[in-house]
Every structure is written in C-alpha cells, then in structure tokens.
C-alpha cells in the first residue's frame, strides 16, 4: 500500500519553490524568532510542514501549512478564474495558551490541531480534486472526531477576517498561493452545510459573531433540537 502511494506521488509535478515563497512571505510579516516549523521528514505521499508562528503583536498564534501548494489542485475548467485557485495553504489562528511539544509526533497534547491541518492539506491531492472558500472536509467518512481531545469532526475553508489579501495571497511569477482559514466544525454543522450550502452556514457564523481564533469549547452553531427540526422541513 505504501509503495503504491509512493509511486503515485512520485510521478506528480512538484512546485518545490513554493516552500521558499511561503518562507520569504512570512519573513515580511514576522520576526525570525517568532517562527518555528514542525517539519515532516519522511512521507510516503508528499511532505506537509506546519509553521508555528507566535507573533508578539497579536493576541493569537498561527498554524500554517506549507506543502499543500507543492502540488497543483485539480480545479475544474468551468470554475471562474481557475488559474488563481490551483494552489493553496491552510491556516488556523489559535489561542496563546495552546502549546506543543518541541517535536510533532501526532500523539502529544494539542497535536490534533497540527494533524487537522496536515490531513486537510493532503486531502485534495489524494482525491484529485480541489479546495477553496466554502469547501468542507471531514476527518473520516464516518464523521469521527479528530481526536479524543475534541468534538470537531471536520472543517470549512473561510476567507480570513483578520488578515487582508496582502497576507492571504502570495503572488509570485504569475502564480497565486491562497492562504485560507480552516475553521473546525461539529458533526451537525457539517451536515447542515451539506444540506443548506455554504451561504447558509456563513450566515450562522455572522449571526453568532463567531471569532476566527480557534475555540475548542465554543458553542455549537446549531443546537441539536433546532438541527433535527430543520431536517424535518
């Protein structure tokens, strides 16, 4: 199985310079001592590293993937501005009190947040599809949570309300790498979005005055009773 995965990704066209673009882009906004990286040294598919940025000027820290954009996503021809959507990376704003071990193992406290981004960043390339604003992804097909530390089972890609396009669009040599916010969702929120669409979910986010910064204890956008009543409509 691992050999099949290795062979599949070995034949892909890689854009390795995008990793350098991301690094140079971050250097414009943050001090070197504020940036560290959880490197993926060995992978049978392709490597996704995670930046851990601890900016002094903000009340939050940032997790940002680097490696998703090393491969071109399979954006359908009918999608408007297709060329501008072929490369992307994912980020999460997280509270300052969330800490990590020095080395990512996937088993330490809060590692599920890093795993969440890595899993989502690899999804479009494993499935020969693409991800953009409004797209949702689940941890697994059975709506299981990412770990026993959280009840989130998936997430939706959102435009950042904290950073403007100067930060969220890396433009180099006629190419754009989009930085999307990954916003984790509960099971009934995912199902609501699938049934009612992205606009309906986005309206709930606005009405709830939901913050972009990750909150593992946030209120569910759709109380269960309300959700089941909606399904009966």
């Amino acid at each position: 199985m691992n050999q099949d995965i290795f062979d599949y990704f070995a034949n892909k066209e890689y854009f390795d310079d995008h990793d350098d673009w991301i690094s140079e882009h971050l250097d414009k906004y943050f001090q070197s001592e504020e940036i560290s990286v959880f490197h993926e040294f060995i992978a049978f598919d392709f490597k996704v590293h995670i930046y851990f940025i601890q900016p002094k000027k903000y009340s939050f820290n940032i997790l940002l993937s680097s490696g998703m954009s090393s491969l071109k996503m399979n954006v359908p021809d009918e999608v408007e501005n297709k060329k501008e959507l072929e490369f992307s990376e994912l980020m999460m704003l997280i509270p300052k009190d969330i800490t990590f071990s020095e080395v990512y193992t996937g088993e330490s406290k809060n590692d599920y947040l890093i795993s969440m981004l890595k899993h989502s960043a690899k999804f479009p390339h494993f499935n020969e599809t693409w991800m953009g604003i409004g797209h949702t992804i689940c941890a697994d097909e059975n709506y299981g949570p990412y770990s026993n530390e959280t009840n989130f089972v998936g997430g939706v890609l959102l435009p950042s309300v904290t950073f403007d396009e100067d930060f969220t669009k890396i433009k180099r040599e006629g190419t754009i790498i989009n930085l999307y916010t990954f916003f984790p969702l509960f099971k009934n929120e995912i199902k609501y979005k699938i049934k009612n669409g992205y606009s309906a979910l986005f309206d709930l986010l606005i009405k709830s005055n939901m913050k972009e910064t990750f909150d593992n204890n946030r209120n569910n956008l759709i109380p269960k009773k309300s959700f089941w009543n909606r399904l009966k409509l």
Side-chain angles (χ1 to χ4, degrees):
M1 178 62 177
N2 286 339
Q3 185 61 47
D4 291 339
I5 293 174
F6 178 83
D7 291 342
Y8 175 75
F9 283 101
N11 294 320
K12 294 285 187 178
E13 179 184 6
Y14 284 84
F15 298 83
D16 295 324
D17 51 346
H18 289 183
D19 283 342
D20 293 332
W21 294 4
I22 294 167
S23 177
E24 292 163 9
H25 180 71
L26 294 178
D27 285 341
K28 297 177 185 177
Y29 292 88
F30 308 107
Q31 300 299 315
S32 59
E33 63 269 18
E34 296 176 327
I35 303 172
S36 57
V37 186
F38 293 108
H39 290 284
E40 184 167 31
F41 293 105
I42 300 174
F44 287 104
D45 40 46
F46 63 100
K47 296 176 182 178
V48 173
H49 314 292
I50 301 294
Y51 280 94
F52 181 37
I53 307 165
Q54 303 177 74
K56 297 181 179 67
K57 61 183 176 181
Y58 294 125
S59 61
F60 53 81
N61 291 333
I62 304 167
L63 293 176
L64 173 69
S65 69
S66 177
M68 183 178 180
S69 64
S70 64
L71 291 164
K72 183 184 295 185
M73 292 189 292
N74 187 24
V75 183
D77 291 336
E78 60 269 22
V79 173
E80 188 176 357
N81 299 322
K82 169 185 175 178
K83 297 292 291 183
E84 298 179 8
L85 301 171
E86 292 175 330
F87 300 102
S88 66
E89 297 289 350
L90 306 178
M91 69 175 179
M92 290 178 64
L93 311 188
I94 63 174
K96 289 284 189 183
D97 60 0
I98 291 181
T99 59
F100 303 96
S101 299
E102 214 168 291
V103 177
Y104 166 77
T105 64
E107 299 177 356
S108 299
K109 182 176 174 60
N110 298 322
D111 273 1
Y112 72 94
L113 290 170
I114 297 172
S115 299
M116 199 182 284
L117 281 191
K118 291 170 74 73
H119 170 269
S120 300
K122 293 192 177 191
F123 177 85
H125 302 306
F126 266 93
N127 295 277
E128 296 189 339
T129 186
W130 71 293
M131 293 170 61
I133 297 298
H135 287 186
T136 48
I137 183 174
C138 292
D140 62 49
E141 59 185 14
N142 297 315
Y143 295 101
Y146 285 99
S147 84
N148 57 14
E149 296 181 65
T150 186
N151 289 316
F152 291 123
V153 304
V156 61
L157 302 196
L158 300 175
S160 177
V161 296
T162 304
F163 296 103
D164 59 23
E165 284 195 1
D166 285 344
F167 181 77
T168 62
K169 289 186 181 293
I170 302 173
K171 299 179 180 181
R172 294 267 300 259
E173 301 177 14
T175 295
I176 296 176
I177 301 175
N178 299 284
L179 307 184
Y180 299 125
T181 292
F182 181 84
F183 186 82
L185 296 174
F186 297 114
K187 180 178 178 179
N188 63 345
E189 294 171 341
I190 289 269
K191 288 191 171 183
Y192 177 83
K193 186 269 179 181
I194 292 172
K195 178 178 174 62
N196 298 282
Y198 168 63
S199 294
L201 177 68
F202 193 69
D203 286 344
L204 289 180
L205 289 166
I206 294 174
K207 289 176 183 177
S208 301
N209 193 28
M210 197 62 63
K211 305 303 181 185
E212 185 173 358
T213 302
F214 174 80
D215 181 358
N216 200 31
N217 299 307
R218 71 169 174 81
N219 292 331
N220 198 308
L221 291 171
I222 312 158
K224 288 185 178 180
K225 183 178 178 181
S226 171
F227 173 70
W228 290 114
N229 285 341
R230 288 174 188 272
L231 283 184
K232 294 176 183 178
L233 295 178

